[in-house]
Amino acid sequence: MKEDALIKNISKYVTLTPEEILIFKSFWTEKTLEKGDYLLRNGDVCRYDNYVVSGLLKAFYINSENGNEEILYFSIDDWWATDLDSFSRQKASIYNIQALEKTILLQINYHSFQKLLVKIPQLERYFRLILEGYLVALQKRIIYNNIYDAEHRYFDFLETYPNIASKVPQYLIASYLGISAEFISRLRKKNKSS
């Protein structure tokens, strides 16, 4: 079952009893996105928290000054894809989430999520730890963007996220890093000749 991947992820952080696992599984629904489908659009409320069973998503917004797509994050297998602000406050999202390939998700709506945390309190710890990991990655990204040059950021991305780097087109990685795709091409050529 698809929920088994999520149970395995959770078991890295907390232990659920067999009864809790049955309760947990009853809260989730499966959703499949085809390549190009949107999980969330700017202006819509994020109604679901989404666990990626398999596939690849990008979260992005459109820069109103230049019309460029600015990548906020990627989500791959065993990751989450949600606008946390929109989901937790049930307000309109300021960005989009779109499938870059066929993606299978497990979803839980906002009200069910709140009920789930009441029924299985130790899941609060799990979701807190997931959020802490997200915040650490976000802090690192902010620091790296402020103190490291583009080359350092690119090679750190390749080292930190090899599974993403192998699946995502270079121009999207460039957008995520705030550099040009041409710059990445030059770096790759330079490394091949070294």
Side-chain angles (χ1 to χ4, degrees):
M1 295 185 69
K2 304 276 190 288
E3 292 92 353
D4 292 339
L6 180 50
I7 296 291
K8 185 177 177 185
N9 182 290
I10 289 170
S11 69
K12 295 176 195 173
Y13 303 92
V14 297
T15 303
L16 300 178
T17 67
E19 295 80 21
E20 289 170 333
I21 289 172
L22 285 175
I23 292 167
F24 178 84
K25 287 182 175 183
S26 71
F27 277 86
W28 298 82
T29 58
E30 184 179 322
K31 181 173 181 77
T32 300
L33 298 174
E34 297 300 329
K35 181 179 180 177
D37 287 351
Y38 281 81
L39 177 62
L40 179 67
R41 287 186 184 267
N42 174 6
D44 292 345
V45 174
C46 184
R47 305 272 182 217
Y48 298 93
D49 200 2
N50 304 282
Y51 172 78
V52 181
V53 176
S54 64
L56 175 63
L57 299 161
K58 65 177 178 179
F60 67 97
Y61 69 95
I62 303 297
N63 185 318
S64 60
E65 290 183 16
N66 60 23
N68 290 340
E69 187 177 280
E70 306 286 343
I71 301 294
L72 301 169
Y73 65 81
F74 300 103
S75 290
I76 58 173
D77 304 9
D78 204 30
W79 285 25
W80 294 86
T82 304
D83 179 338
L84 292 172
D85 186 36
S86 177
F87 181 73
S88 64
R89 298 171 195 227
Q90 288 296 280
K91 66 176 200 171
S93 177
I94 60 170
Y95 62 85
N96 306 282
I97 303 175
Q98 184 180 31
L100 292 173
E101 64 184 37
K102 183 176 180 178
T103 301
I104 299 172
L105 305 163
L106 290 176
Q107 297 186 310
I108 187 168
N109 72 42
Y110 175 79
H111 298 292
S112 293
F113 182 74
Q114 300 308 316
K115 288 177 189 172
L116 179 64
L117 295 179
V118 170
K119 285 190 176 280
I120 309 175
Q122 65 265 34
L123 287 176
E124 291 268 4
R125 180 182 195 293
Y126 168 74
F127 285 103
R128 177 181 55 81
L129 293 171
I130 293 297
L131 283 174
E132 285 175 3
Y134 172 75
L135 288 173
V136 167
L138 187 59
Q139 283 178 328
K140 179 181 172 185
R141 183 175 178 198
I142 291 167
I143 291 167
Y144 275 36
N145 281 347
N146 287 331
I147 64 172
Y148 290 117
D149 63 20
E151 183 172 352
H152 186 110
R153 292 194 317 268
Y154 175 67
F155 288 115
D156 179 73
F157 179 87
L158 295 181
E159 185 177 313
T160 305
Y161 304 110
N163 293 340
I164 295 174
S166 67
K167 295 174 85 172
V168 173
Q170 292 295 315
Y171 75 94
L172 292 177
I173 294 172
S175 172
Y176 175 80
L177 296 172
I179 58 182
S180 72
E182 295 76 21
F183 182 79
I184 289 179
S185 291
R186 287 194 301 273
L187 278 179
R188 293 177 75 192
K189 285 178 189 171
K190 179 177 143 185
N191 265 10
K192 284 181 183 174
S193 63
S194 299

